[in-house]
Amino acid sequence: MDSDGTRDVRGTHPNPVPRPAVPREAAAVPPRPPVPPGAPPRPDGSAFLAWLRTPRPEAAPGVWRLGHRPRPEREPELIPARQLLSGALIAFLVGWLVWSLLWNGYLGGWWVLPLELFTPDSWRQSNDAVGNAVVWYGYYTLIALAIMLVVGRLGRWGEVWRRWGPPAWRPAEPATAPPPAPEQDPAEWPELRRAGAHEAAERLAADARAGLMRDVDLARIDRAWQGVRSGTHSLAAFTGTVLRQGAAACPHPSGERDLPARHARHDLLTGQVRLGTAADDPRNPYHYRGAGLALGPDLLGTSLLAVGPAGSGKTGSLVRPLAESLCLHALAGRAAVVAVGAAGAGLGPDASYDVVVRVGHPDSVHDLDLYGGTTDPDEAAAILAEALVGDLTDPHPGSDSRRSTTVLAQLLGPFRAVHGRFPSVPELRQLLDGTTGPLAALRKALTDSGQDSLLRELDARERQMAHPGDVGAVLADRIALLDRPAFADFFDTSGQSRPFSLKALDHPVRVRIDLPQRGHADASRILARLVLAQFTAGVTVREDRSLFACLLLDDASGVVTPEAVRGIQRLRSVNAGVVLTLRTLDDAPRPLRGPLLGATGCRMALSGLTPWDGQDFAEVWGKEWTETRDVTDRQIIAETPAGKAVHMLRRVITGQAPTARAVTVRQVERERWSASELAHGVPPGHAVLSLTTVRGEHAPPVLVDLRG
């Protein structure tokens, strides 16, 4: 027995095998493992390189381009199976009949004349039986093959083989693209090499091969390189940063390089997020059927309106994937996103955002700026008036809230001139109510400072308060909805909190605003209008419009106003867009439904739509020319006794009277999707989606399976 407790059996074995002597130190220390126990293997970058080299052909708007296989514009004519098989069988019988007639001499011997003319007599009449058989039967085989070729073309044997033969038994193999040339390989960063940044390209290519690069890193560095090409950044600074940090160069201000989790499929090379699959439905264009449907900034730049009842998938199938995609774009330095929804709506975890504003929640780190970060009283008054009473203005497209804006400007201007800030919610409520103390104090301060012009504004406000139809009372009632104990710590204007302003959309920021819809539904609608008004006002004055800005409103009920529609119409030209969801179009005033559908380039009708909502979508999607076939069966009346006997026999056999079928083909104009089809023909989990790009390309309404 050895010292380590093992038995030494070498001496008892009949044929002991000699072993080399091993030092005790070497035997006691095992070899060091390449990775710690339980650790995953180190990535080699093969998955990232395969994704990067996957072809992305140009496709119609909304088609998922990653690995897409283009289809023809028109559907090929598909012959019915019975007709195809019967035609193939009849062609075979015809070929057999022709060959039998030739072989048995019923058609004469002319068909062997070419053999007699073009071959020597010694080949055909020699004493060599084998040679004669080879010549004659070779010619017979050639004639038989020619007959089979002709009847095979007539009977479409090739299509029968492709549809039911061995090619149809094997599963379709994915097409593998040939490896790109080194000067065209995106993994080798050819643009950097052509610009002379060879060292930076080598460092990035090495990180990609080593598995240190992600899709967000690729998009972020490509964004920084676009800044070098435009002259915003210098080539030397870019190269130096890449050589020092590699794939982690040019980081987002948060330092994050990815989201904590992804629930949708993203392709940052094209900027798309996949929503579902176009259904294989005859109402869909043929080149869309079976293709993935995706959205990107080129489509969201025209804004999107989705309408569907509760539970139809607006949040989980549309808003959540879009918020996730835009957050990835923000990490890549391409976009700024503001997602607005009810608390707990499921717009993503807190770790996916840079700023999370929980209005009415005591643990909220950030506050919401009531005045949008502006210092201009007139601009602040216009934004606040839209938020407070925008839904009370005349809903016709030409209406506005100028009276309310004037009332607020008459108070905000003097207050800011005296205090150097805008009033808080309780102070503004007192001013709108006409409380004597605050107005007298404000008047005294203006008089002491000699600001006569602002004093005249205050005098005009006091005169208007005495009139019975003063708008100030309505504004006071609306601002009172925000002057609640739950919002006591919010909308601070003293500078003691951390208010978020939508003026920050000049930077790639990720923002989520949770509205207190439970118990404060009216206040939530005011805040939603406030965010939309601040967004449309802020993005139009940005200096850097290369950054795509998008606002996601999970529930836009009560948000659609004439000013909001006008603001949405201006977003396309400033590289911005909004995504609005509604349970029904009844949540928008009737005169604004048409302008709203016209202002948004992308429109989605989810399953469960009402017929009257479907009528509005049917009108905006218009009509198209289609081919219809009218089939008419006309009874045949026999006039001769033989004909009557044949008709009687046919009726006994088939049970139907003999008829003649007449087919009429016409071109008619019909609705792309009727109101009845939208209300009753969209399956659960599906939606009908039409798209428009910022370049003006259109995609017709497509039935999409949001679960695929």
Side-chain angles (χ1 to χ4, degrees):
M1 186 76 67
D2 290 344
S3 60
D4 58 354
T6 60
R7 183 183 298 273
D8 190 358
V9 297
R10 285 178 292 176
T12 61
H13 198 279
N15 295 312
V17 179
R19 292 184 295 181
V22 180
R24 184 171 296 272
E25 294 79 4
V29 180
R32 183 177 181 180
V35 296
R42 295 178 180 176
D44 58 354
S46 58
F48 173 78
L49 294 178
W51 167 82
L52 182 59
R53 291 166 177 163
T54 302
R56 294 167 174 83
E58 293 294 331
V63 173
W64 176 255
R65 292 174 51 192
L66 179 63
H68 173 63
R69 296 183 181 180
R71 303 178 70 177
E73 291 287 336
R74 294 185 176 274
E75 181 179 6
E77 183 180 359
L78 185 64
I79 303 174
R82 187 175 67 176
Q83 179 181 348
L84 183 62
L85 292 177
S86 61
L89 179 60
I90 292 174
F92 172 75
L93 295 177
V94 169
W96 191 1
L97 176 62
V98 172
W99 172 253
S100 298
L101 294 176
L102 292 176
W103 181 260
N104 294 310
Y106 289 103
L107 299 180
W110 57 268
W111 59 286
V112 298
L113 185 61
L115 179 64
E116 297 176 351
L117 293 178
F118 295 102
T119 58
D121 294 341
S122 59
W123 289 13
R124 294 177 281 103
Q125 301 176 3
S126 64
N127 295 326
D128 187 359
V130 176
N132 290 340
V134 169
V135 172
W136 284 100
Y137 283 99
Y139 182 72
Y140 296 155
T141 303
L142 182 63
I143 296 299
L145 291 176
I147 294 175
M148 289 181 61
L149 180 62
V150 173
V151 298
R153 293 290 298 274
L154 294 176
R156 298 184 176 91
W157 290 1
E159 187 171 350
V160 174
W161 176 264
R162 289 188 298 271
R163 194 181 298 187
W164 292 288
W169 304 345
R170 296 190 299 267
E173 299 180 359
T176 56
E183 63 274 6
Q184 297 178 351
D185 188 0
E188 298 296 331
W189 297 84
E191 291 189 6
L192 273 66
R193 297 181 187 276
R194 287 193 291 267
H198 295 279
E199 296 180 354
E202 288 292 343
R203 174 63 191 275
L204 295 175
D207 285 0
R209 290 190 295 268
L212 302 177
M213 182 175 289
R214 310 170 187 174
D215 54 354
V216 178
D217 300 329
L218 175 75
R220 187 184 63 251
I221 295 173
D222 181 70
R223 167 74 177 179
W225 175 248
Q226 298 301 326
V228 173
R229 294 182 57 185
S230 63
T232 307
H233 310 292
S234 65
L235 178 61
F238 173 82
T239 304
T241 303
V242 170
L243 292 178
R244 288 193 308 270
Q245 302 179 5
C250 312
H252 185 263
S254 66
E256 300 290 337
R257 296 173 58 186
D258 204 347
L259 297 179
R262 300 188 185 187
H263 297 274
R265 292 185 60 187
H266 303 272
D267 183 23
L268 290 182
L269 207 60
T270 58
Q272 293 180 313
V273 53
R274 180 163 178 159
L275 298 182
T277 305
D280 190 6
D281 190 275
R283 290 170 294 191
N284 283 346
Y286 180 71
H287 60 285
Y288 274 97
R289 298 178 193 172
L293 257 293
L295 295 179
D298 58 332
L299 294 168
L300 296 179
T302 62
S303 298
L304 185 147
L305 174 66
V307 181
S312 58
K314 298 187 298 297
T315 302
S317 301
L318 177 66
V319 180
R320 174 69 182 272
L322 290 179
E324 193 174 274
S325 174
L326 292 169
C327 286
L328 290 173
H329 282 286
L331 291 178
R334 294 176 172 177
V337 56
V338 179
V340 182
L347 300 182
D350 295 352
S352 298
Y353 295 91
D354 303 314
V355 177
V356 178
V357 181
R358 297 186 179 93
V359 181
H361 197 285
D363 297 334
S364 180
V365 178
H366 295 274
D367 193 1
L368 183 63
D369 193 336
L370 193 64
Y371 302 98
T374 183
T375 58
D376 184 5
D378 293 330
E379 182 180 355
I383 293 174
L384 193 56
E386 170 64 17
L388 294 177
V389 294
D391 59 329
L392 298 180
T393 58
D394 188 358
H396 290 83
S399 304
D400 52 32
S401 55
R402 295 181 184 178
R403 290 183 58 194
S404 303
T405 302
T406 303
V407 170
L408 289 172
Q410 289 172 345
L411 296 174
L412 296 182
F415 191 95
R416 180 172 179 80
V418 172
H419 299 280
R421 61 178 178 85
F422 288 121
S424 62
V425 171
E427 293 171 336
L428 181 59
R429 180 183 180 183
Q430 291 178 348
L431 294 175
L432 290 172
D433 281 334
T435 307
T436 306
L439 287 175
L442 187 59
R443 172 180 293 278
K444 183 178 183 304
L446 291 174
T447 304
D448 295 342
S449 59
Q451 302 187 48
D452 297 335
S453 60
L454 296 177
L455 192 59
R456 287 193 296 271
E457 291 284 332
L458 192 60
D459 292 338
R461 174 85 287 268
E462 291 180 347
R463 288 194 303 270
Q464 293 171 3
M465 288 180 185
H467 296 170
D470 182 35
V471 185
V474 180
L475 291 171
D477 292 340
R478 285 300 179 92
I479 200 67
L481 296 173
L482 302 180
D483 189 17
R484 306 299 301 164
F487 309 134
D489 298 332
F490 287 86
F491 318 120
D492 180 64
T493 59
S494 62
Q496 298 178 359
S497 63
R498 301 177 58 185
F500 169 74
S501 169
L502 271 74
K503 293 286 186 180
L505 296 182
D506 283 334
H507 309 284
V509 63
R510 303 168 294 166
V511 184
R512 194 190 76 202
I513 302 177
D514 294 342
L515 301 179
Q517 288 190 354
R518 185 175 181 180
H520 301 279
D522 292 334
S524 295
R525 284 190 284 269
I526 291 175
L527 294 176
R529 288 194 297 270
L530 176 67
V531 174
L532 179 58
Q534 291 183 2
F535 178 82
T536 55
V539 296
T540 54
V541 296
R542 291 185 303 165
E543 295 181 359
D544 183 13
R545 295 183 178 178
S546 63
L547 195 70
F548 178 69
C550 188
L551 172 65
L552 306 175
L553 272 174
D554 187 41
D555 185 5
S557 301
V559 176
V560 181
T561 64
E563 186 61 33
V565 173
R566 284 192 290 267
I568 294 173
Q569 292 172 343
R570 295 192 297 264
L571 294 180
R572 184 185 302 191
S573 60
V574 295
N575 195 22
V578 298
V579 177
L580 308 176
T581 66
L582 293 172
R583 293 185 180 90
T584 172
L585 286 176
D586 289 337
D587 292 336
R590 182 64 194 176
L592 293 179
R593 295 179 192 176
L596 176 63
L597 290 170
T600 53
C602 304
R603 311 170 189 97
M604 176 182 285
L606 290 95
S607 61
L609 211 66
T610 59
W612 43 91
D613 285 347
Q615 184 62 40
D616 292 323
F617 278 98
E619 290 178 359
V620 75
W621 280 332
K623 300 180 180 180
E624 63 178 349
W625 288 99
T626 183
E627 183 180 278
T628 61
R629 300 169 63 90
D630 296 333
V631 180
T632 304
D633 290 334
R634 179 179 57 84
Q635 184 177 358
I636 303 176
I637 300 176
E639 298 180 355
T640 62
K644 293 180 180 180
V646 172
H647 285 188
M648 183 179 299
L649 179 62
R650 182 176 176 181
R651 179 178 298 178
V652 170
I653 295 175
T654 62
Q656 297 178 355
T659 58
R661 174 168 295 182
V663 180
T664 304
V665 180
R666 296 183 301 167
Q667 291 287 337
V668 297
E669 192 177 18
R670 289 184 176 176
E671 292 178 331
R672 299 177 184 270
W673 279 83
S674 66
S676 178
E677 289 176 331
L678 290 172
H680 309 292
V682 180
H686 290 63
V688 181
L689 175 64
S690 67
L691 302 170
T692 304
T693 67
V694 293
R695 297 183 299 272
E697 302 176 13
H698 294 271
V702 178
L703 180 63
V704 184
D705 184 1
L706 300 177
R707 302 166 300 182

